[in-house]
Amino acid sequence: MKDVNVENVNQQRGEKSIFKGKNPPKIIRKENLEALQRPVLLHLIHGKVKEFYSYANEPVAIENLKRGLASLFQMQLSSGTTKEVDISGDCKVTYQAHQDKVIKIKALDSCKIERSGFTTSNQVLGVTSKATSVTTYKIEDSFVIAVLAEETHAFRMNSLQTIAGKIISKQKLELKTTEAGPRLMSGKQVAAIIKAVDSEYKALPIVGQDFQSKCKRCPSLSEHWQSTRKHLQPDNLSKAEAVRSFLAFIQHLRTATREEILQILKAENKEVLPQLVDAVTSAQTSDSLDAILDFLDFKSDSSIILQERFLYACGFASHPNEELLRGLISKFKGSFASNDIRETVMIIIGALVKKLCQNEGCKLKAVVEAKKLILGGLERAEKKEDTMMYLLALKNALLPEGIPLLLKFAEAGEGPVSHLATTALQRYDVSFITDEVKKTLNRIYHQNRKVHEKTVRTTAAAIILNNNPSYIEVKNILLSIGELPKEMNKYMLTLVQDILRFEMPASKMVRRVLKEMVAHNYDRFSKSGSSSAYTGYIERTPHSASTYSLDILYSGSGILRRSNLNIFQYVGKAHLHSSQVVIEAQGLEALIAATPDEGEENLDSYAGMSAILFDVQLRPVTFFNGYSDLMSKMLSASGDPISVVKGLILLIDHSQELQLQSGLKANMDVQGGLAIDISGAMEFSLWYRESKTRVKTRVALAITGSITVDSSFVKTGLEISTETETGLEFISTVQFSQYPFLVCMQMDKDGAPLRQFETKYERLSTGRGYVSRRRKESLIAGSEFPLHQENSEMCKVVFAPEPASTSSGWF
């Protein structure tokens, strides 16, 4: 390659061009320019590159430019589909032959080439990428007179389509002159001829080779941490800046060694250490895993908070591997200072099994061992606590082979065990809820074999109605309304009405049944009570939706039995269970001298909270357990909420390394994280005969997307980011001094500032660069959501329209 020149595609840069006033040797560097000018040799057979000969020890980035040029010489004159090996790898290509041209279409998604990369398995949190490659060979008098190649790579985040970008790479080769070349050399073997031309030539792969640009004067991990840690102080975690710093530090951790990571872990104080543990675990490298497992001592009760943060970060891992699962299995077989941590380890093992199976890792040795551990442990468990632990693990793992066990515990288990097994079945996909499964659920709901608690029966009914119910199943459920305990009657009635109002899949079948007067009459549909079920939209766009649902069930005496708040995110056909917060209470009738409902006469006093966050079931927390514990908590109650989960979560994690046909290297990365704090409280006042439940969620979110193209001597990139902070609060207040008792339910979403940033840059390896920045700010108004409350005496909720948004322009 002679007369090499480097120009900016954007001619409007003018004086701001990074190439202004610099000649090619200064831009490309002398050693790179010399390598470019050394020729390559190609061994072609029927238009296909058999061998690529070049000089050893040349810079990889320069050799890739040569490979990109050599790949253009590979073609055929007949139409058809074939396999070709070129700079992009081993690819499927299709030729379309015309009279004056040949078009080659390369299926880039079929190319086999070793490149690092990973993505999030759930499509709601995932990234969609698309790549095309078209090369046109212009032919005149049997000569190729021009080659025009264009390759594009585009990406967009599925749930937030403003996070998007595109790379367009072009090559152009034109025949300028025809002249005599070197004289023909003949021989029996190609290797002998190559050696005769120049003994320094070596046969090299034509497939593009990976390279990393060297970082000059880069800060150490410790220096990066010192600039990051101030943003991760506990008081700053409600700000999006904390999440941005968390995401940036994860990238530095991914290139760090075990010793470097251990050094900063051991030197940090207890206030910032939980956030550092979140970051180290989220890095998901072998070095970071070794460092954190060495640092944490599960036999000590002095670091329980750190152990819990580590385990939850494992559960939320975007692309877990077998090594992580193996490490947790090993820890589970050891000893623990805290039984809560032991339970959490098993629950998170279940979450990892599900994620690895989703990525076709069900047959990995560690996954097989974990399955045996969960299913075998559940079958052999002697203590109720162990049964609950393995059920929670199975609720995360969602193993098809675990369904018979869940059915057994759902139908034959005692109250809490039966309820947990039923809620685990509720998480399975519709394809697993077969007629045999529904037979058992129908027996539970209709109490054919034994009496069940209301919470178990209503969950069984919800599973039946959400999984292709038959005509007779719907009819029997509707006929049961009126024969149930008072508040359960009202709950089942509102559940059916919610299915109809929200047009759920079962609505067509329900409408068919309601044509029968025996099922649809005033007596059945006029039942009074305060229990309810309601589903609504938080946000709705043409390509995505976010829904909330609240079902709340009371005992006949007006005391809360269960409140269940769910938020789902939908993108196309994919969905994500973003959060679920369940508050449960039982055995509290003695406090107000009330009569318990049927089947609940001997329940111990208990209240607690359970949560699912981003499809991961967390370990439930207990407010009180037993009458004496209840009385001591009531006498010493501070009114402070109990935290269910708190920390920094790496939610979106997509990285793609691309080999462009031109020889350039490109990267596409999307990371998204959030700082979250979910807390809940349950309060009683015997004096005022009032109970109150409160669930509060605070979130700070940041998402960043970047594209870079690197030639080793010049680098260009685009960075896009979005950030916000918001909160969601649910409050339910019940006055049970009379019947029907008065209920006030409120759910409010705080106003949310939305900030968007865009940065474009170009940078020479010598340091000169160009940067362009844009920023956009808007405000999403707060809103209050309807919760289907019929008793409006206690509170009045303003039903707000869809959240409004005001925004400024770019500046």
Side-chain angles (χ1 to χ4, degrees):
M1 299 184 198
K2 298 178 180 178
D3 301 325
V4 176
N5 197 14
V6 184
E7 296 175 351
N8 201 314
V9 174
N10 190 341
Q11 299 295 332
Q12 296 177 351
R13 291 270 192 272
E15 294 295 321
K16 292 182 180 179
S17 172
I18 59 172
F19 306 128
K20 182 73 175 178
K22 289 184 175 288
N23 57 25
K26 284 189 176 181
I27 297 170
I28 301 174
R29 295 199 302 271
K30 186 180 177 183
E31 64 275 18
N32 287 338
L33 193 58
E34 289 174 352
L36 274 174
Q37 291 173 344
R38 287 194 288 269
V40 295
L41 298 178
L42 300 181
H43 180 195
L44 288 163
I45 298 180
H46 302 302
K48 309 293 179 176
V49 176
K50 174 76 172 174
E51 291 288 356
F52 170 84
Y53 296 94
S54 187
Y55 293 90
N57 302 319
E58 285 187 342
V60 175
I62 300 302
E63 278 192 342
N64 280 348
L65 293 177
K66 295 181 177 182
R67 290 182 172 100
L69 176 62
S71 296
L72 293 179
F73 285 84
Q74 191 157 239
M75 66 165 292
Q76 68 184 43
L77 295 173
S78 58
S79 296
T81 299
T82 185
K83 285 266 192 176
E84 282 185 1
V85 178
D86 64 8
I87 186 167
S88 304
D90 188 347
C91 308
K92 177 184 173 184
V93 295
T94 300
Y95 284 92
Q96 298 173 353
H98 302 272
Q99 187 175 356
D100 58 347
K101 64 183 178 182
V102 172
I103 298 173
K104 178 166 75 172
I105 301 169
K106 189 191 303 181
L108 291 172
D109 57 350
S110 72
C111 295
K112 294 176 183 176
I113 184 171
E114 286 189 19
R115 286 293 182 270
S116 62
F118 44 79
T119 192
T120 308
S121 57
N122 190 293
Q123 281 302 299
V124 174
L125 302 173
V127 173
T128 298
S129 58
K130 187 178 181 181
T132 60
S133 172
V134 179
T135 305
T136 302
Y137 296 86
K138 292 185 177 179
I139 300 171
E140 190 177 289
D141 297 331
S142 301
F143 284 95
V144 175
I145 60 168
V147 183
L148 305 172
E150 183 168 321
E151 179 180 9
T152 64
H153 292 267
F155 82 91
R156 63 172 172 79
M157 193 181 144
N158 294 335
S159 56
L160 186 64
Q161 299 200 350
T162 55
I163 303 292
K166 182 188 257 188
I167 298 169
I168 301 174
S169 175
K170 297 180 181 180
Q171 291 170 283
K172 184 179 181 181
L173 190 63
E174 288 184 304
L175 178 64
K176 293 291 187 181
T177 59
T178 304
E179 58 186 54
R183 68 181 178 83
L184 185 68
M185 296 180 68
S186 59
K188 292 183 178 180
Q189 293 183 329
V190 173
I193 300 173
I194 296 296
K195 190 173 182 180
V197 174
D198 191 332
S199 61
E200 296 296 316
Y201 274 121
K202 303 290 181 188
L204 301 174
I206 195 170
V207 177
Q209 303 298 298
D210 195 15
F211 71 90
Q212 301 295 331
S213 292
K214 293 179 181 178
C215 184
K216 297 176 182 177
R217 301 184 296 276
C218 282
S220 65
L221 183 70
S222 180
E223 289 171 322
H224 278 301
W225 175 240
Q226 288 309 310
S227 63
T228 300
R229 66 184 303 279
K230 63 178 179 286
H231 300 300
L232 300 185
Q233 295 287 341
D235 292 343
N236 294 331
L237 291 182
S238 60
K239 300 174 184 174
E241 190 175 23
V243 187
R244 266 192 285 122
S245 300
F246 166 71
L247 295 175
F249 190 61
I250 286 172
Q251 300 304 318
H252 299 305
L253 284 165
R254 284 178 170 166
T255 58
T257 64
R258 171 184 169 277
E259 289 72 24
E260 289 174 321
I261 297 170
L262 263 176
Q263 183 183 351
I264 60 170
L265 281 167
K266 290 177 178 177
E268 195 46 73
N269 64 45
K270 64 179 183 180
E271 287 188 343
V272 185
L273 201 47
Q275 289 76 261
L276 179 56
V277 168
D278 290 338
V280 171
T281 312
S282 299
Q284 300 174 74
T285 65
S286 295
D287 283 282
S288 66
L289 179 60
D290 288 346
I292 196 68
L293 288 176
D294 282 357
F295 177 70
L296 295 174
D297 182 6
F298 286 83
K299 297 175 184 177
S300 168
D301 60 2
S302 61
S303 61
I304 285 176
I305 291 175
L306 301 181
Q307 294 167 33
E308 190 173 65
R309 293 283 278 263
F310 160 70
L311 291 169
Y312 284 151
C314 290
F316 298 129
S318 54
H319 52 280
N321 57 22
E322 188 180 14
E323 185 184 3
L324 174 58
L325 180 58
R326 201 182 298 117
L328 291 190
I329 293 172
S330 175
K331 290 295 177 187
F332 183 77
K333 292 177 179 178
S335 55
F336 294 85
S338 164
N339 193 55
D340 286 351
I341 295 299
R342 176 178 176 269
E343 290 177 6
T344 307
V345 171
M346 176 47 63
I347 292 166
I348 298 306
I349 284 174
L352 293 179
V353 166
K354 178 188 174 187
K355 290 190 176 186
L356 287 167
C357 282
Q358 284 175 335
N359 289 328
E360 301 179 352
C362 252
K363 294 182 180 178
L364 294 170
K365 285 184 179 179
V367 175
V368 172
E369 184 181 355
K371 286 182 182 181
K372 289 178 180 177
L373 204 58
I374 295 169
L375 298 174
L378 185 55
E379 285 184 296
R380 293 188 297 270
E382 296 178 358
K383 297 179 183 176
K384 175 187 169 184
E385 293 77 10
D386 284 346
T387 301
M388 299 286 279
M389 174 183 72
Y390 288 114
L391 282 173
L392 286 163
L394 187 52
K395 190 175 178 179
N396 269 335
L398 297 180
L399 301 174
E401 56 267 45
I403 289 176
L405 272 174
L406 290 174
L407 291 172
K408 183 184 98 174
F409 283 104
E411 188 167 23
E414 58 178 284
V417 170
S418 175
H419 184 229
L420 180 53
T422 315
T423 60
L425 285 165
Q426 197 171 20
R427 297 197 68 208
Y428 279 83
D429 186 76
V430 62
S431 60
F432 295 106
I433 308 302
T434 61
D435 290 341
E436 285 300 312
V437 173
K438 285 194 280 186
K439 277 182 186 177
T440 305
L441 294 170
N442 275 293
R443 288 199 301 267
I444 291 170
Y445 176 72
H446 296 290
Q447 302 190 118
N448 297 134
R449 292 185 178 176
K450 63 174 283 192
V451 175
H452 292 277
E453 293 179 25
K454 292 194 297 291
T455 51
V456 179
R457 296 179 69 191
T458 52
T459 304
I463 299 172
I464 295 166
L465 291 171
N466 286 329
N467 290 275
N468 299 326
S470 67
Y471 186 91
I472 195 66
E473 284 171 340
V474 173
K475 183 175 179 179
N476 285 339
I477 287 173
L478 287 173
L479 290 176
S480 72
I481 297 174
E483 310 299 327
L484 306 168
K486 191 180 294 183
E487 283 296 325
M488 189 174 167
N489 269 328
K490 183 61 176 177
Y491 176 83
M492 289 305 301
L493 183 59
T494 58
L495 182 66
V496 171
Q497 289 170 336
D498 193 43
I499 289 170
L500 295 171
R501 184 189 56 79
F502 204 70
E503 293 290 339
M504 293 180 189
S507 60
K508 290 182 179 178
M509 185 61 75
V510 172
R511 283 193 172 89
R512 272 187 63 196
V513 176
L514 288 177
K515 290 177 181 178
E516 290 193 38
M517 284 296 293
V518 68
H520 190 191
N521 56 60
Y522 178 79
D523 179 62
R524 205 174 302 286
F525 276 74
S526 63
K527 299 301 178 185
S528 63
S530 298
S531 299
S532 69
Y534 189 86
T535 304
Y537 285 105
I538 295 176
E539 189 178 13
R540 197 176 185 185
T541 68
H543 80 281
S544 67
S546 181
T547 66
Y548 70 93
S549 66
L550 171 71
D551 65 78
I552 192 158
L553 177 65
Y554 295 100
S555 68
S557 55
I559 292 178
L560 175 77
R561 279 295 272 119
R562 181 188 67 208
S563 80
N564 185 352
L565 178 62
N566 289 279
I567 296 177
F568 282 88
Q569 190 78 26
Y570 297 89
V571 175
K573 294 182 180 179
H575 75 275
L576 173 71
H577 198 170
S578 300
S579 72
Q580 178 192 71
V581 180
V582 180
I583 293 181
E584 291 183 80
Q586 65 178 40
L588 304 182
E589 283 77 13
L591 289 173
I592 57 171
T595 303
D597 292 339
E598 179 194 12
E600 301 180 356
E601 296 87 354
N602 301 315
L603 296 179
D604 292 332
S605 299
Y606 166 85
M609 183 161 59
S610 172
I612 291 173
L613 191 59
F614 302 115
D615 267 341
V616 178
Q617 169 70 54
L618 309 181
R619 184 179 61 80
V621 297
T622 301
F623 296 147
F624 56 80
N625 195 359
Y627 190 77
S628 58
D629 187 25
L630 164 62
M631 295 312 295
S632 68
K633 293 281 173 63
M634 287 182 70
L635 293 171
S636 62
S638 63
D640 293 335
I642 294 177
S643 178
V644 183
V645 63
K646 186 176 184 178
L648 290 156
I649 300 173
L650 177 64
L651 198 58
I652 300 155
D653 200 12
H654 177 90
S655 181
Q656 239 180 310
E657 194 173 290
L658 307 170
Q659 176 61 65
L660 301 183
Q661 183 174 292
S662 59
L664 300 174
K665 170 189 169 181
N667 288 80
M668 294 197 304
D669 296 280
V670 181
Q671 269 79 40
L674 55 85
I676 191 165
D677 185 357
I678 298 178
S679 58
M682 190 171 183
E683 303 168 21
F684 290 94
S685 172
L686 296 179
W687 183 261
Y688 294 105
R689 296 179 75 81
E690 181 180 280
S691 72
K692 180 179 285 188
T693 58
R694 183 189 301 265
V695 177
K696 190 168 186 177
T697 304
R698 289 292 309 167
V699 169
L701 171 72
I703 301 172
T704 63
S706 69
I707 294 179
T708 59
V709 178
D710 193 358
S711 67
S712 81
F713 51 85
V714 63
K715 189 174 185 178
T716 183
L718 167 69
E719 294 176 357
I720 315 156
S721 64
T722 298
E723 63 184 40
T724 188
E725 301 103 10
T726 190
L728 188 70
E729 185 170 26
F730 164 70
I731 303 171
S732 171
T733 306
V734 183
Q735 284 186 354
F736 42 83
S737 56
Q738 63 185 44
Y739 193 88
F741 34 84
L742 302 179
V743 180
C744 169
M745 293 188 292
Q746 298 166 286
M747 190 168 79
D748 306 320
K749 188 177 79 169
D750 296 345
L754 183 67
R755 297 178 290 273
Q756 295 171 280
F757 306 91
E758 181 185 283
T759 303
K760 296 177 182 177
Y761 66 88
E762 297 164 3
R763 190 181 306 125
L764 290 173
S765 59
T766 54
R768 184 173 178 178
Y770 167 85
V771 180
S772 166
R773 291 186 176 92
R774 294 199 300 171
R775 174 185 174 122
K776 182 181 180 183
E777 291 189 14
S778 59
L779 177 65
I780 300 174
S783 50
E784 295 177 325
F785 297 97
L787 295 173
H788 192 62
Q789 53 190 47
E790 295 180 353
N791 296 0
S792 57
E793 293 92 336
M794 281 184 63
C795 67
K796 183 179 179 182
V797 174
V798 178
F799 292 171
E802 291 293 321
S805 151
T806 58
S807 63
S808 63
W810 292 102
F811 62 92

